[in-house]
Amino acid sequence: MAAMALCRAAAGGKRPAGRALLALLKCEMLCSRRCLVTSRQLYSVVHDPDEKTFEKLLIANRGEIACRVIKTCKKMGIKTVAIHSDVDANAVHVKMADEAVCVGPAPTSKSYLNMDAIMEVIKKTRAQAVHPGYGFLSENKEFARRLASEGVTFIGPDTCAIQAMGDKIESKLLAKKAKVNTIPGFDGVVKDADEAVRIAREIGYPVMIKASAGGGGKGMRIAWDDEETREGFRFSSQEAASSFGDDRLLIEKFIDNPRHIEIQVLADKHGNALWLNERECSIQRRNQKVVEEAPSTFLDPETRRAMGEQAVALAKAVKYSSAGTVEFLVDSSKNFYFLEMNTRLQVEHPVTECITGLDLVQEMIRVAKGYPLRHKQADIPISGWAVECRVYAEDPYKSFGLPSIGRLSQYQEPLHLPSVRVDSGIQQGSDISIYYDPMISKLITYGSNRAEALKRMEEALDNYVIRGVTHNISLLREVIIHPRFVQGDISTKFLPEVYPDGFKGHKLTDLERRELLATAASLYVAEQLRSQRFLGTPRIPIAKSQRNTWELSVHLEDGVYPVAVSKNGSSFSVEVDGIKLNVTSEWNLASPLLSVTIDGTQRTIQRLSRNATGNTSIQFLGTVYKLQILTKVAAELSKYMPEKAAEDTSSILRSPMPGAVVAVSVKPGDTVSEGQEICVIEAMKMQNSMIAAKTGKVKAVHCKAGDTVGEGDLLVELE
Amino acid sequence: VASAVRVSRAPAQPHRCVTEQAGKKGESRCISPRGCRKASLRRRCPGARPRRGERGKLTARERILLLLDPDSFDEYDMFVEHRCSDFGMDSDKNKYPGDSVVTGRGRINGRLAYVFSQDFTVFGGSLSGAHAQKICKRNVLCSGVVPQISLIMGPCAGGAVYSPALTDFTFMVKDTSYLFITGPDVVKSVTNEDVTQEQLGGAKTHTAVSGVAHRAFENDIDALLNLREFFNYLPLSNRDPAPVCECHDPSNRLVPELETVVPIESTKAYDMLDIIYSIVDEREFFEIMPFYARNIVVGFARMNGRTVGIVGNQPKVASGCLDINSSVKGARFVRFCDAFNIPLITFVDVPGFLPGTAQEYGGIIRHGAKLLFAFAEATVPKITIITRKAYGGAYDVMSSKHLRGDANYAWPTAEVAVMGAKGAVQIIFRGKQTDAEAEYVDKFANPFPAAMRGFVDDIIQPSTTRMRICHDLDVLASKAQSNPWKKHANIPL
């Protein structure tokens, strides 16, 4: 609508009065929307208005990072140009920017990665600089080169630094040269077991042995002593010869319980470089970070300095300018090894901003303009603690997160709480589509220490209202309250180790269960009482209920619990399992957030849905619980109700998530065996193979390659 | 008089179906009223329970127990017996105090309701003279005086189906209730059609295909509890105003997501329910006929606590066009609201009436006129919001200013015109001139021409829609408009 307003306002002229009014009305709409997206910043460095900077900057990105960059540009007085695909015409970043231009249709290859179109926009709008954000073209040396040839500043490092760090092998060699710790190892032909042992001893145990030609973790063996090394050598060399016809072996230091810790660096074009402390990003799923924090609980000042100095050495070695991140793997004895360097602004940069007070985007723009850094290494503090949770539109119950899509029917960020920062690029009414990353926002909390930051995160997650799409708040909340996480005992294997059978939501303790049952029952009674209150005086008087006690039966998970509620004043006295709880609240049944006090414990819950039959879903401690609350009478009678036959799910295949069908490998009449691939669904850059749950004959195929499917859509039926 | 609720099932043949009450015979008749009352209750409940339960249904009394507030039921005619004497029906063992129906009055959330519940355990719930007398229903004379609701909870066939058909709303229970004039056996013998009870007159058939029933529920309990909620939307009679409940949802709440709900491309669909849910109190909307003529959405909601009837075109289905079924569905709903003082809120996104021989032969003119008639005749407060298309005759029908609309608003995305630009240009220029389309869009695909002529009272920001409607309803609460005296109007049936 925004774009339309612009077009219409621009095209107007025939009916000046009406047009102008319409445009005005629409502009007003824009402004009101704009107000919705302001969020608290947690960095303090102010902009010096006398320092000359770019007049106009184009943001070659979308979503939260585009909004993040625009915020700093506004602060610095830089005009902004947003680019967008046609489905993003109503997106927040488009409304926030001073100008917005459509660069193509929804698929990223035709819009946000469409260099020709973007270069065209740059020329047309006369933007002097481009901030690439992260992802998309942020580490594309060709894009940086094309910008340079047009005399447009790329807000990032030089092309050669991008190139050097973009190549895994070259970056390792450079790192070695700059005396940065790299994972010690040997790659070549190993004569015999004795030589293997010698190499292993040189590297230091534990070591990992595998055939060089084998990709990934295939055929990998871990050896903790000489004996195991000999054995590993035997197997691996056999495998190398037989499977790959290549004798070379790779013996490398095995990093036990690795943590992913990265150092933020900031360098200018005058040879100055700083390290802005570390970020701990060990909580990952499928190599994607989920929870990040700064600083790390694990590093002592010496290790931090050593890592920081090596990171700066590497930056200097490649004449790095702008903000960048050097990633390390850290083992349990605080040995750290260089992994790679990211030559862009990282998703998780806000935690660094929180503890250092720097605005990294502002510094990037300054550096790009050619200004020297304003800080010395000694000026970089670690003040307080910051935690970031990546809030995704995905279902955490399916392999820690499969994408979900939908329209945000209700959306409210917990900005009413202290020390909360939310970086988002969406608002109430936005669509989460299959075309882009399903991240809803980055939720950052800050505290004077870690415990405070985590406590605030817990509250912020409970107070975050996201309706219309499935989200991962439950997983995030479980992670940050998990004893291992609270103690700082984490590694990149945290999620699979803690949830070996997959994430299943919060496990209620007996006390928590009673709290939930008491809250749900009180809510039910509050609702019943309200439905008897009518305003006005009807001709036939309304019979006032004298009822003060309710005998209910609440179905939760696999149990049915008798619950007795009695009202005294505004609070309810609820008896569950023979234990009495006192529940008080304002009982505002329209508010998306309900603050309830149960025996003195304050909880923020969200009632997501209810219906006439007492079915209620309540988000409690981050997890959504489905309950059914019935009167005792109704519950007793409900046992006479017929059981509805459940759908036989083994003979049908439904799409577990929204996405596009890439390939269908069966046709009607084919016989498939259990575990055989039936089709492939692609969603958010992930290909998911759908397999048959049983052996059988294909009855019908309801999709074809190229189709777009929704979650739960029927794909294939077996007989 | 207050609302009447029937909880019924009644087979076609009175008195012949005596197979259901085996096992309860031989109870001695008692003389004292107290004893008899006990016998009546005893005969109904405990003895009958297991048989009904096995079939996934509740007994007549259990249904009343769940529907009404606790201890609020006052029963009538518990001692009435049937007067049939053929086939040994006059023997004592075939006499049941109260006969095959439980009648009385009670309260739903404190408000008066009259209820009868037909009892399958007595002669299969069949309709005897006494049974009919107990119900003493004057469906037709009560129509428009008190809201009447039928809940079909078992098989109901033959003449008995016309009682629910005369009431305002008919709800069914999935898998256990049927409605048909003649059952599958008769169908087979007359037309040689093979059809199951479910296909012929099950809940799915009547809520999706025939439009006989307005909603279907999972089971007896689901149905009765929903009925309690539904009852709260309705006034007790045509002389009571629409009820106003205590409401926690602020009347001046802004709804920012409405700014983006209508897609930029005017050919792209969106879900009208998204708009409705976000505007009404607490996202609670009791939809009527959700699976029939889905190109129009009708149902009850509350605005600032007051019951309103909502009518909206559904762009997601058949572009939201009006056709025979959607016109009839809308018209009946509008007339109900008008009869019972429920204000009407209409959301318009209508590209026109559905063209074609099927529609013309089916009498779209006659049926479309019903909706036009209903809106024009209605004297309750009428508020209309044009969200996007409002084309041609269909624009006029959808509670336009010309049909005595009280407040008619347009969103900036509204297009009030005779037809879409493409179609119009094709007709005007017969395909000769192509650049005229842009001119047409520029001239008419916006709300200004309508606003300049006063066809809409204002062009409003979508996010303020809830606030505007709530304010208007406050002002219009005292609206009193009357139509000229007549015996009754002659709506094109």
Side-chain angles (χ1 to χ4, degrees):
Chain A
M1 207 180 288
M4 201 161 69
L6 287 172
C7 301
R8 283 193 181 168
K14 273 207 183 114
R15 284 172 186 276
R19 255 324 146 244
L21 187 61
L22 185 63
L24 190 73
L25 191 70
K26 287 187 175 177
C27 285
E28 217 178 288
M29 284 158 54
L30 291 185
C31 296
S32 71
R33 275 187 243 174
R34 211 173 270 165
C35 298
L36 289 167
V37 296
T38 52
S39 71
R40 205 183 309 244
Q41 305 292 329
L42 288 175
Y43 36 74
S44 51
V45 173
V46 285
H47 167 62
D48 171 11
D50 295 331
E51 196 176 83
K52 212 172 157 305
T53 182
F54 301 105
E55 272 159 30
K56 199 188 257 185
L57 185 146
L58 180 137
I59 299 104
N61 215 307
R62 65 179 298 282
E64 67 89 12
I65 195 64
C67 297
R68 165 71 191 85
V69 174
I70 294 171
K71 270 177 209 158
T72 290
C73 289
K74 280 188 192 296
K75 186 175 78 176
M76 297 175 73
I78 303 172
K79 286 207 169 67
T80 49
V81 181
I83 57 163
H84 64 90
S85 66
D86 52 13
V87 294
D88 271 346
N90 269 326
V92 178
H93 77 278
V94 172
K95 287 168 206 157
M96 279 176 76
D98 298 307
E99 283 174 67
V101 186
C102 181
V103 288
T108 51
S109 59
K110 290 177 181 149
S111 50
Y112 296 101
L113 291 172
N114 185 347
M115 275 192 246
D116 294 333
I118 296 170
M119 293 308 296
E120 201 54 44
V121 175
I122 293 168
K123 264 185 232 162
K124 206 175 79 189
T125 57
R126 301 210 185 109
Q128 297 164 337
V130 171
H131 197 297
Y134 53 73
F136 296 133
L137 298 170
S138 61
E139 288 170 292
N140 188 309
K141 51 184 189 289
E142 167 67 10
F143 184 57
R145 195 190 54 71
R146 281 182 72 171
L147 287 175
S149 70
E150 294 283 337
V152 177
T153 311
F154 175 77
I155 306 210
D158 292 338
T159 321
C160 47
I162 300 178
Q163 174 150 20
M165 291 296 129
D167 185 311
K168 284 227 165 188
I169 295 168
E170 198 186 336
S171 69
K172 264 201 170 157
L173 289 174
L174 273 164
K176 248 185 196 164
K177 236 201 281 176
K179 301 215 166 58
V180 175
N181 299 356
T182 52
I183 299 174
F186 173 87
D187 192 353
V189 179
V190 180
K191 247 195 352 266
D192 53 23
D194 288 339
E195 193 186 343
V197 169
R198 189 182 51 76
I199 295 168
R201 281 186 183 163
E202 246 168 53
I203 294 169
Y205 286 110
V207 297
M208 181 268 296
I209 306 171
K210 67 170 204 167
S212 292
K218 211 179 157 202
M220 186 175 95
R221 280 174 188 84
I222 313 296
W224 293 81
D225 53 35
D226 294 355
E227 196 45 45
E228 284 175 10
T229 308
R230 284 170 204 281
E231 199 175 305
F233 168 78
R234 213 166 47 243
F235 280 113
S236 297
S237 53
Q238 272 169 15
E239 191 181 54
S242 63
S243 305
F244 307 109
D246 178 346
D247 288 343
R248 285 181 305 139
L249 288 187
L250 179 68
I251 305 180
E252 206 177 64
K253 175 92 181 170
F254 172 69
I255 297 163
D256 152 44
N257 263 334
R259 286 168 175 258
H260 179 117
I261 298 177
E262 57 190 30
I263 300 284
Q264 174 74 53
V265 293
L266 182 63
D268 63 18
K269 291 176 176 169
H270 307 275
N272 304 309
L274 299 170
W275 46 275
L276 307 181
N277 302 314
E278 78 281 9
R279 290 187 289 259
E280 163 83 72
C281 313
S282 296
I283 307 292
Q284 305 185 345
R285 53 126 175 79
R286 298 191 304 266
N287 289 324
Q288 256 186 308
K289 297 162 190 169
V290 183
V291 179
E292 298 109 336
E293 61 183 307
S296 164
T297 53
F298 192 59
L299 297 193
D300 49 53
E302 292 88 77
T303 317
R304 176 174 299 124
R305 193 173 56 246
M307 287 172 78
E309 280 167 1
Q310 289 197 7
V312 162
L314 178 63
K316 285 186 171 165
V318 291
K319 297 203 171 59
Y320 196 87
S321 68
S322 192
T325 299
V326 182
E327 296 189 344
F328 291 98
L329 278 185
V330 183
D331 72 10
S332 47
S333 13
K334 295 199 178 109
N335 297 311
F336 57 91
Y337 306 99
F338 170 75
L339 206 58
E340 61 178 340
M341 180 168 185
N342 295 316
T343 57
R344 56 173 155 83
L345 187 66
Q346 295 272 97
V347 178
E348 59 275 19
H349 74 274
V351 288
T352 299
E353 294 184 330
C354 285
I355 61 159
T356 59
L358 262 67
D359 178 340
L360 284 174
V361 175
Q362 185 183 343
E363 297 306 323
M364 284 174 85
I365 296 173
R366 286 188 69 253
V367 165
K369 187 74 188 166
Y371 293 109
L373 296 177
R374 292 181 292 184
H375 303 80
K376 297 270 168 293
Q377 189 61 51
D379 303 339
I380 306 300
I382 297 185
S383 49
W385 210 285
V387 185
E388 172 180 287
C389 283
R390 296 197 191 181
V391 182
Y392 276 102
E394 57 182 26
D395 183 352
Y397 293 78
K398 295 176 186 164
S399 52
F400 301 117
L402 281 190
S404 114
I405 56 164
R407 188 164 189 275
L408 286 166
S409 56
Q410 270 180 294
Y411 181 75
Q412 196 177 304
E413 293 172 352
L415 294 169
H416 56 285
L417 301 176
S419 299
V420 172
R421 167 174 165 182
V422 182
D423 279 19
S424 68
I426 45 124
Q427 65 188 53
Q428 191 155 314
S430 291
D431 269 316
I432 308 275
S433 73
I434 56 165
Y435 301 109
Y436 311 111
D437 188 72
M439 189 159 81
I440 296 173
S441 77
K442 302 183 308 205
L443 176 62
I444 303 110
T445 56
Y446 175 76
S448 55
N449 54 45
R450 188 166 186 259
E452 191 179 52
L454 288 178
K455 188 75 211 149
R456 283 180 174 157
M457 179 58 80
E458 224 178 287
E459 275 167 38
L461 288 168
D462 283 340
N463 281 276
Y464 205 146
V465 179
I466 304 167
R467 308 278 167 85
V469 296
T470 314
H471 53 75
N472 66 339
I473 297 261
S474 54
L475 175 68
L476 296 171
R477 199 180 185 285
E478 280 307 287
V479 168
I480 62 146
I481 63 163
H482 195 277
R484 269 190 61 184
F485 181 84
V486 172
Q487 283 157 28
D489 172 20
I490 53 175
S491 76
T492 52
K493 298 189 189 103
F494 180 86
L495 288 177
E497 272 172 19
V498 172
Y499 308 104
D501 307 320
F503 179 67
K504 302 220 161 50
H506 180 73
K507 264 220 131 25
L508 291 171
T509 63
D510 285 347
L511 174 67
E512 288 165 351
R513 181 177 306 107
R514 281 196 297 273
E515 286 180 359
L516 175 58
L517 291 168
T519 308
S522 303
L523 254 175
Y524 173 86
V525 171
E527 180 97 41
Q528 292 294 313
L529 286 172
R530 187 179 66 155
S531 64
Q532 294 167 9
R533 288 199 289 269
F534 295 90
L535 310 178
T537 41
R539 294 184 312 129
I540 299 165
I542 293 168
K544 284 271 175 289
S545 169
Q546 298 304 318
R547 212 165 161 205
N548 245 333
T549 54
W550 288 263
E551 291 203 36
L552 306 174
S553 166
V554 185
H555 193 284
L556 167 64
E557 288 171 335
D558 292 327
V560 177
Y561 304 86
V563 178
V565 182
S566 51
K567 185 175 163 31
N568 44 51
S570 64
S571 68
F572 292 103
S573 169
V574 187
E575 195 176 322
V576 190
D577 297 341
I579 296 169
K580 272 215 160 99
L581 295 96
N582 195 50
V583 186
T584 49
S585 170
E586 281 183 23
W587 305 116
N588 181 331
L589 300 169
S591 162
L593 294 171
L594 261 170
S595 172
V596 185
T597 308
I598 312 142
D599 275 351
T601 312
Q602 193 276 331
R603 301 272 189 210
T604 302
I605 65 151
Q606 301 187 27
R607 185 172 66 167
L608 307 178
S609 68
R610 65 161 289 273
N611 71 12
T613 322
N615 291 302
T616 308
S617 21
I618 292 178
Q619 185 178 321
F620 177 69
L621 302 171
T623 293
V624 178
Y625 293 93
K626 288 194 166 64
L627 303 102
Q628 189 181 21
I629 307 147
L630 288 171
T631 59
K632 203 173 148 199
V633 178
E636 269 162 21
L637 292 174
S638 68
K639 61 176 179 270
Y640 299 118
M641 292 298 99
E643 291 273 335
K644 304 267 165 160
E647 194 177 49
D648 176 13
T649 48
S650 66
S651 57
I652 52 163
L653 180 68
R654 289 183 184 280
S655 176
M657 73 210 131
V661 179
V662 179
V664 183
S665 3
V666 296
K667 54 183 191 299
D670 285 1
T671 308
V672 291
S673 48
E674 189 180 326
Q676 187 182 331
E677 181 182 287
I678 290 182
C679 63
V680 180
I681 307 279
E682 188 184 274
M684 279 103 172
K685 301 176 254 172
M686 267 170 50
Q687 295 217 337
N688 299 275
S689 173
M690 304 286 123
I691 56 166
K694 66 169 192 188
T695 303
K697 206 168 174 188
V698 178
K699 189 174 159 194
V701 177
H702 298 280
C703 60
K704 59 178 190 301
D707 282 1
T708 306
V709 291
E711 181 177 343
D713 281 5
L714 188 58
L715 302 174
V716 172
E717 278 178 275
L718 300 181
E719 266 170 15
Chain B
V1 195
S3 312
V5 178
R6 48 180 287 143
V7 179
S8 76
R9 54 80 50 230
Q13 268 134 31
H15 278 192
R16 293 290 171 84
C17 322
V18 286
T19 50
E20 272 285 307
Q21 17 65 49
K24 302 180 274 106
K25 291 174 186 170
E27 274 187 73
S28 61
R29 310 264 334 270
C30 43
I31 316 296
S32 78
R34 220 180 124 190
C36 189
R37 187 178 288 270
K38 265 191 179 158
S40 173
L41 291 173
R42 193 163 57 235
R43 280 180 162 207
R44 292 262 168 66
C45 297
R49 176 62 269 167
R51 285 191 73 91
R52 294 293 273 172
E54 278 161 32
R55 305 179 56 154
K57 291 174 194 165
L58 300 178
T59 66
R61 278 180 196 284
E62 285 164 349
R63 286 169 179 165
I64 289 176
L65 185 70
L66 277 186
L67 178 65
L68 299 179
D69 294 346
D71 306 323
S72 72
F73 184 51
D74 298 325
E75 186 170 351
Y76 294 144
D77 295 338
M78 196 187 263
F79 309 111
V80 169
E81 292 175 350
H82 73 80
R83 297 177 296 271
C84 182
S85 57
D86 298 333
F87 304 109
M89 286 298 288
D90 56 348
S91 76
D92 274 2
K93 61 177 185 177
N94 276 336
K95 290 275 192 177
Y96 291 85
D99 203 32
S100 53
V101 65
V102 182
T103 56
R105 75 170 174 223
R107 301 275 174 166
I108 297 176
N109 286 319
R111 301 194 313 148
L112 185 60
Y114 283 85
V115 181
F116 66 89
S117 179
Q118 289 168 323
D119 188 348
F120 196 81
T121 61
V122 178
F123 308 123
S126 59
L127 197 67
S128 68
H131 177 137
Q133 229 168 29
K134 272 185 74 172
I135 299 172
C136 191
K137 53 181 185 278
R138 291 193 175 84
N139 280 145
V140 175
L141 293 188
C142 285
S143 181
V145 179
V146 292
Q148 300 180 76
I149 310 159
S150 306
L151 183 50
I152 313 300
M153 308 179 84
C156 176
V161 298
Y162 283 109
S163 179
L166 293 172
T167 60
D168 297 299
F169 295 101
T170 303
F171 300 130
M172 294 180 79
V173 178
K174 285 181 194 166
D175 305 325
T176 54
S177 74
Y178 311 102
L179 273 169
F180 32 65
I181 300 289
T182 50
D185 294 345
V186 180
V187 171
K188 174 78 182 164
S189 67
V190 176
T191 68
N192 208 28
E193 253 179 301
D194 273 314
V195 66
T196 63
Q197 284 198 73
E198 183 63 35
Q199 289 165 340
L200 187 61
K204 203 168 170 187
T205 304
H206 286 314
T207 51
V209 182
S210 72
V212 165
H214 297 85
R215 270 287 276 269
F217 299 104
E218 288 307 317
N219 57 43
D220 283 11
I221 291 175
D222 187 35
L224 291 161
L225 295 179
N226 268 289
L227 192 51
R228 276 182 70 85
E229 289 224 342
F230 177 59
F231 188 81
N232 257 17
Y233 285 104
L234 309 180
L236 295 181
S237 77
N238 59 352
R239 291 172 62 192
D240 287 300
V244 184
C245 286
E246 184 183 301
C247 170
H248 296 164
D249 203 351
S251 63
N252 56 358
R253 170 169 62 89
L254 290 178
V255 193
E257 73 261 37
L258 293 180
E259 306 283 354
T260 53
V261 71
V262 177
I264 294 165
E265 303 89 342
S266 75
T267 49
K268 218 169 142 190
Y270 60 94
D271 193 346
M272 189 57 88
L273 286 169
D274 283 345
I275 294 181
I276 295 171
Y277 278 114
S278 58
I279 283 181
V280 301
D281 288 357
E282 297 176 25
R283 304 182 69 81
E284 297 250 346
F285 178 56
F286 192 97
E287 192 173 350
I288 299 293
M289 302 175 102
F291 298 105
Y292 179 78
R294 295 190 300 125
N295 41 349
I296 200 164
V297 175
V298 300
F300 296 99
R302 295 191 179 88
M303 292 297 280
N304 202 14
R306 178 183 281 112
T307 299
V308 293
I310 289 181
V311 180
N313 306 112
Q314 174 57 285
K316 230 174 73 169
V317 181
S319 305
C321 72
L322 287 176
D323 57 9
I324 294 172
N325 290 349
S326 59
S327 301
V328 173
K329 171 180 167 183
R332 178 143 178 93
F333 180 77
V334 168
R335 294 196 90 210
F336 176 84
C337 292
D338 186 43
F340 293 101
N341 315 316
I342 298 171
L344 282 163
I345 296 168
T346 309
F347 293 96
V348 184
D349 185 348
V350 65
F353 279 99
L354 183 66
T357 50
Q359 291 289 311
E360 296 289 0
Y361 295 173
I364 180 70
I365 298 175
R366 180 159 70 82
H367 295 293
K370 290 176 183 173
L371 186 57
L372 176 66
F373 197 107
F375 269 123
E377 173 191 49
T379 55
V380 289
K382 290 186 282 195
I383 300 169
T384 306
I385 291 97
I386 301 172
T387 60
R388 190 167 64 180
K389 291 171 202 161
Y391 289 165
Y395 149 72
D396 194 55
V397 168
M398 293 303 294
S399 196
S400 63
K401 198 80 198 164
H402 324 288
L403 302 180
R404 303 192 289 177
D406 294 298
N408 292 58
Y409 298 117
W411 283 2
T413 41
E415 305 169 15
V416 185
V418 173
M419 57 173 72
K422 203 173 163 194
V425 170
Q426 268 172 8
I427 290 170
I428 300 169
F429 299 101
R430 298 269 164 224
K432 277 177 213 148
Q433 220 174 326
T434 46
D435 56 334
E437 197 176 317
E439 195 188 333
Y440 190 96
V441 167
D442 195 45
K443 256 195 169 129
F444 299 113
N446 66 64
F448 275 97
M452 275 158 35
R453 288 163 182 82
F455 298 167
V456 295
D457 296 295
D458 198 1
I459 302 169
I460 60 170
Q461 251 176 267
S463 59
T464 62
T465 309
R466 173 178 164 82
M467 199 168 75
R468 293 293 280 252
I469 295 175
C470 286
H471 291 173
D472 286 339
L473 286 172
D474 281 347
V475 174
L476 289 166
S478 59
K479 176 182 175 182
Q481 191 174 37
S482 59
N483 292 333
W485 186 91
K486 57 186 98 173
K487 188 171 175 198
H488 61 71
N490 191 16
I491 187 164
L493 289 176

